[in-house]
C-alpha cells in the first residue's frame, strides 16, 4: 500500500495576483473545468488541489479547497485554504504548487504543511520575499527534488 500525504496550504495572496495564477489555482482546485493556457503542459499534467468528495478520505471534516477574495483590514487579498490527501507518487508536485504561490504571498510567514498520513509531526511551509522554506521532518525534501525539478526553485539563502 502506498503512503498518502495530508497537504495543507493556508495563506493570503496579494490582491494584484495575476489572473493567470488565479486561473491556474482555480483549475487545480477543481473550480474551473477548462485548463487555462497559463498552465504548462508537462509541469501540470492534472489538477493537484481538487478535493476528493469521497467521505472516506481519513481527514476529519473531509477535504476542502477555497479561494476567496476578501477584505483584510484596510486592503483586499485572496484567501487560500486547501486540505487534500496526495498519494506519495506525486509528492514531488508540491514544488510546483509552492513555486506558483510563493511570489504572490501577501505577508511572510506560515503557509501550511504536509505530513505522511500516519505521522504526528508535519513539515511546515514558510513564505518570505517570493520564496519558500520547508522545516520539520521532511525539510530536506527541496534538496531531494532539486534534480528532478530542473532548477526551477529560487536559490537557497
Amino acid at each position: 500500500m502506498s503512503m498518502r500525504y495530508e497537504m495543507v496550504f493556508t495563506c493570503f495572496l496579494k490582491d494584484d495576483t495575476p489572473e493567470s495564477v488565479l486561473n491556474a489555482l482555480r483549475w487545480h482546485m477543481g473550480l474551473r473545468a477548462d485548463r487555462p493556457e497559463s498552465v504548462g503542459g508537462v509541469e501540470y499534467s492534472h489538477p493537484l488541489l481538487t478535493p476528493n468528495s469521497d467521505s472516506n478520505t481519513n481527514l476529519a471534516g473531509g477535504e476542502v479547497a477555497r479561494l476567496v477574495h476578501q477584505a483584510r483590514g484596510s486592503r483586499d487579498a485572496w484567501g487560500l485554504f486547501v486540505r487534500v490527501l496526495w498519494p506519495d507518487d506525486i509528492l514531488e508536485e508540491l514544488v510546483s504548487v509552492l513555486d506558483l504561490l510563493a511570489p504572490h504571498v501577501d505577508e511572510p510567514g506560515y503557509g501550511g504543511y504536509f505530513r505522511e498520513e500516519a505521522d504526528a509531526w508535519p513539515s511546515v511551509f514558510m513564505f518570505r520575499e517570493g520564496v519558500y522554506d520547508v522545516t520539520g521532518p521532511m525539510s530536506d525534501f527541496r534538496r531531494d527534488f532539486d534534480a528532478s525539478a530542473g532548477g526551477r526553485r529560487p536559490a537557497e539563502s
Side-chain angles (χ1 to χ4, degrees):
M1 178 178 196
S2 68
M3 292 187 297
R4 295 190 305 177
Y5 289 84
E6 178 182 7
M7 310 301 290
V8 174
F9 302 92
T10 179
C11 58
F12 286 96
L13 302 176
K14 297 173 187 170
D15 188 36
D16 65 353
T17 298
E19 195 64 28
S20 61
V21 172
L22 297 173
N23 282 336
L25 283 170
R26 289 179 185 114
W27 178 71
H28 280 300
M29 297 166 68
L31 302 175
R32 175 187 170 125
D34 59 321
R35 180 189 185 114
E37 290 181 22
S38 62
V39 176
V42 174
E43 186 174 352
Y44 304 112
S45 59
H46 56 278
L48 299 170
L49 305 174
T50 304
N52 182 347
S53 59
D54 182 3
S55 61
N56 187 22
T57 68
N58 295 331
L59 289 177
E63 297 182 21
V64 64
R66 299 222 19 189
L67 178 64
V68 179
H69 194 249
Q70 58 194 91
R72 216 170 160 225
S74 62
R75 64 187 196 285
D76 291 340
W78 290 94
L80 174 72
F81 181 76
V82 175
R83 186 176 68 151
V84 293
L85 280 177
W86 279 6
D88 62 352
D89 62 347
I90 67 166
L91 183 60
E92 63 207 36
E93 297 292 341
L94 177 57
V95 172
S96 300
V97 175
L98 292 172
D99 284 346
L100 181 66
L101 297 176
H104 309 289
V105 171
D106 192 38
E107 290 183 358
Y110 175 80
Y113 68 87
F114 71 107
R115 69 176 179 88
E116 199 275 314
E117 189 174 24
D119 286 349
W121 302 106
S123 295
V124 174
F125 316 130
M126 300 296 288
F127 293 109
R128 66 173 167 66
E129 299 173 8
V131 298
Y132 62 88
D133 289 312
V134 178
T135 61
M138 292 188 66
S139 61
D140 59 350
F141 118 95
R142 277 179 64 170
R143 185 192 70 231
D144 293 345
F145 291 113
D146 271 348
S148 66
R152 289 181 288 130
R153 256 156 340 290
E156 301 273 342
S157 28

